[in-house]
Amino acid sequence: MFVLNRVLFAGSIIVPESTSLTVCHFSAVHRLTCPRRNSPYSSVDSERYSSLVKSVMSSTVSSQTPETLQAEDDHVYGPIVKAQTPPRTEPRLPKTLHPFINSERTLETEEPEAGPPARILLNRNKSRPFIPSVTRILQQTLSPEQIFYLERWKRRMIAELGEEGFNEYSQNIFKQGKLFHSTLEDILTSADTWRNKNLSETPQCPPEAQGYIQSISHVLEDVSAVRAIESSVQHGSLNYLGIVDCVARYRGVLCVIDWKTSEKPKPFLSNTYDNPVQVAAYAGALNNDGNYKYQVENGLIVVAYKDGSPAHAHKINSELMSEYWKTWLLRLEDYREH
């Protein structure tokens, strides 16, 4: 049972009635004027919970303390077992750190004399031992996490498009990328300069590639001295090969440039996944290929968008390039060990 208490404040009286509280306004002669209201607590079995109410209301301060709570938890759940901090592991390094730069060549500090870009075709001689490509090595050394996300994306696309629809989608993406690269090659090898022009409206730009070309137009304004386009590179001692999209100066710095297409924005270098490793692998092969008489320390990944929105250009400086080169050497080791 609650003891009737009257508390006077701001012209109101709080009157505990049974298990309910009723707020009543009063006049100058303290005459109660409020109607009786049914409390949502009126149906509660007060006898059943009386012991709980008494224990709560008997003291203004809880009888529980941090010590008693800890003792109660230990009794119910057992003592706390603190997890061991895993030992810090050193980053994995390549077994053999092959040099990225060929010490027998000097780095160019000035632009060379103008001339047509090199385009060395890939020659796979059947009589020679098989040489893996950069793309093949990266595909076969994906991490379990990368494989998981790729498979999940593929299952989601198949669920939306069906098997035939997904195959058609993949073929269209491949065709668009190939058409974009061939159109860009025509532009970069054209006798006329591409600067200060609406490239998407040039005769060599088909409608399917107009959005991509418009997307990279602001990047091309900073590209000069094209040295190679769609040209094969091969690392003799590490025994791998690849085809570089472009070697040119970007804002005055000689770079291996990789042109990519994407349906989703990729504003950060981390969004490009293994592309920086691929660029480092191409640059390292070029630096050790006798067909090229110069060295490249920097890279550039340009992500073009079909809707014509401005492409994202991700610069890879020489310090980052060295780190990605180490990652490439590790992937190369994994490929050969498996």
Side-chain angles (χ1 to χ4, degrees):
M1 296 290 294
F2 284 111
V3 178
L4 180 62
N5 292 311
R6 294 188 179 185
V7 181
L8 181 63
F9 67 95
S12 299
I13 298 178
I14 298 179
V15 183
E17 297 180 0
S18 177
T19 59
S20 64
L21 296 179
T22 303
V23 180
C24 304
H25 294 281
F26 58 93
S27 63
V29 295
H30 306 293
R31 183 172 56 88
L32 299 178
T33 60
C34 63
R36 180 182 179 87
R37 296 180 181 178
N38 291 327
S39 168
Y41 300 103
S42 60
S43 61
V44 175
D45 187 348
S46 60
E47 293 297 328
R48 180 177 179 182
Y49 297 105
S50 60
S51 59
L52 174 62
V53 173
K54 289 179 181 178
S55 65
V56 173
M57 301 296 292
S58 61
S59 174
T60 58
V61 180
S62 173
S63 61
Q64 292 280 37
T65 65
E67 291 75 15
T68 59
L69 289 171
Q70 179 69 54
E72 185 177 313
D73 286 348
D74 289 347
H75 177 72
V76 176
Y77 302 107
I80 296 175
V81 178
K82 294 183 178 180
Q84 295 293 327
T85 303
R88 180 176 297 178
T89 57
E90 294 296 327
R92 181 186 166 198
L93 296 175
K95 296 177 181 177
T96 304
L97 189 58
H98 293 271
F100 176 66
I101 295 294
N102 189 339
S103 59
E104 297 179 359
R105 302 181 196 171
T106 58
L107 294 171
E108 292 183 351
T109 57
E110 298 180 358
E111 293 190 11
E113 295 181 3
R119 182 173 183 177
I120 300 173
L121 300 178
L122 181 61
N123 182 18
R124 284 193 177 275
N125 193 329
K126 294 182 179 180
S127 62
R128 296 179 182 176
F130 173 75
I131 301 176
S133 67
V134 172
T135 303
R136 179 186 181 89
I137 293 168
L138 290 176
Q139 287 177 344
Q140 295 196 9
T141 57
L142 292 172
S143 68
E145 183 180 12
Q146 288 174 312
I147 294 173
F148 169 78
Y149 285 113
L150 284 173
E151 287 296 325
R152 188 176 69 172
W153 171 80
K154 182 178 179 180
R155 288 196 300 269
R156 185 173 69 247
M157 295 297 290
I158 291 176
E160 294 178 1
L161 304 176
E163 287 280 357
E164 293 184 2
F166 176 72
N167 291 334
E168 183 179 355
Y169 167 82
S170 301
Q171 292 174 3
N172 287 337
I173 293 295
F174 176 77
K175 290 178 181 178
Q176 289 177 8
K178 191 174 181 179
L179 182 60
F180 165 61
H181 278 79
S182 63
T183 304
L184 182 57
E185 179 184 347
D186 291 340
I187 293 173
L188 293 177
T189 56
S190 174
D192 299 329
T193 179
W194 59 84
R195 295 175 183 81
N196 302 320
K197 287 186 177 182
N198 190 347
L199 298 177
S200 61
E201 297 180 359
T202 56
Q204 61 265 48
C205 185
E208 297 84 356
Q210 287 180 357
Y212 293 122
I213 298 300
Q214 180 62 34
S215 178
I216 65 169
S217 59
H218 71 287
V219 178
L220 290 178
E221 294 176 359
D222 295 317
V223 174
S224 63
V226 180
R227 303 297 300 273
I229 293 179
E230 295 292 331
S231 190
S232 66
V233 292
Q234 182 172 337
H235 200 298
S237 58
L238 291 178
N239 199 39
Y240 72 87
L241 52 78
I243 299 177
V244 295
D245 285 349
C246 180
V247 179
R249 290 188 178 273
Y250 175 71
R251 296 179 178 176
V253 179
L254 191 64
C255 300
V256 167
I257 303 176
D258 207 25
W259 308 100
K260 299 294 184 184
T261 61
S262 176
E263 295 184 342
K264 296 182 179 180
K266 294 186 177 181
F268 304 108
L269 184 62
S270 58
N271 300 139
T272 62
Y273 307 107
D274 280 341
N275 294 153
V277 182
Q278 184 180 33
V279 170
Y282 288 156
L286 183 148
N287 292 338
N288 290 272
D289 190 324
N291 292 312
Y292 305 90
K293 306 305 180 184
Y294 53 88
Q295 301 278 277
V296 184
E297 285 188 295
N298 299 270
L300 181 72
I301 298 173
V302 182
V303 185
Y305 305 109
K306 187 177 182 179
D307 63 359
S309 57
H312 287 105
H314 303 293
K315 182 76 178 294
I316 310 174
N317 59 30
S318 57
E319 290 78 12
L320 274 177
M321 208 68 147
S322 297
E323 294 303 314
Y324 285 120
W325 173 248
K326 294 175 185 177
T327 303
W328 165 247
L329 293 177
L330 290 172
R331 300 286 285 270
L332 196 56
E333 287 179 5
D334 292 341
Y335 174 79
R336 288 173 177 165
E337 291 174 359
H338 298 86

